[in-house]
Every structure is written in C-alpha cells, then in structure tokens.
Amino acid sequence: MLYYPAPDLVVEVLSKSTQRNDREVKFEDYAAHGVGEYWLVDPTRQTVELFSLDADTEAYALVGLFRMGDVATSQTLAEFSIPVKAIFDAPANMAALRTLLSTNS
C-alpha cells in the first residue's frame, strides 16, 4: 500500500534560481516516482512545456511546447486545459477560472 502516492500532474514555475533543479533533479525524480505529467512554466518566455511519462522507458517525453495563443491540454487529467495566456495575463486568468468554475458547477 502506498501512503503517499505520486500526483498525476506537477507544475513548476521556472526562475533563474530554480531552473536547473526543475529541469534536472526534479525532472528525473518525478519520473522515477511515477508522476504522470510534468509542466514547466517559463514566465520569461511565457511558455509551457508539457512532458508526459512514457510507460515503456519510464522517462518523460515532450508532448508540446505551448505559447501565447495556444491552449495547453493535460494528457493525464481528463478535460483539463488552460489557455497559455491565462497563466500570464490577469484578465485572461479570471476568464479561464470562471469557465472552469461554471463547467464544474
């Protein structure tokens, strides 16, 4: 029995001081512990890198690099998607949040 099962999705927001750790140590650690999906949000480039755990290799494979104007869609969480703009822009964030709340009511 697992006392602390791995989450389905982990999202890390990159910064200059954490980027190396997020791209190397955590990247390998999360894969080794079976985290199904790993998103790296880069506020400088305003991008989202989406990685999914490959069951055969037990390593992450890049699913997509999403930019402003794109919609990042989870491979693991059914029906979860977010416009990239909503991550970086407050009005777009509120609109996406309202949509999520009205969909789940």
Side-chain angles (χ1 to χ4, degrees):
M1 167 171 36
L2 286 174
Y3 288 106
Y4 304 104
D8 295 324
L9 169 67
V10 170
V11 178
E12 295 283 356
V13 178
L14 300 175
S15 71
K16 206 172 225 182
S17 65
T18 65
Q19 181 167 283
R20 184 173 180 193
N21 194 41
D22 294 335
R23 289 189 178 280
E24 295 174 11
V25 176
K26 289 182 179 181
F27 193 88
E28 297 295 328
D29 193 40
Y30 291 148
H33 286 88
V35 174
E37 197 167 296
Y38 187 40
W39 292 22
L40 292 173
V41 176
D42 186 333
T44 303
R45 292 184 175 88
Q46 295 189 325
T47 60
V48 176
E49 294 172 68
L50 194 156
F51 298 90
S52 185
L53 192 60
D54 182 295
D56 295 331
T57 64
E58 296 180 358
Y60 286 120
L62 181 64
V63 173
L65 173 62
F66 302 92
R67 295 179 169 82
M68 293 293 241
D70 295 335
V71 175
T73 301
S74 175
Q75 306 294 297
T76 304
L77 302 177
E79 299 181 29
F80 176 73
S81 62
I82 185 167
V84 173
K85 185 175 182 177
I87 297 170
F88 303 106
D89 177 78
N93 181 280
M94 289 305 296
L97 182 58
R98 283 188 197 100
T99 299
L100 281 171
L101 292 173
S102 68
T103 302
N104 294 318
S105 306

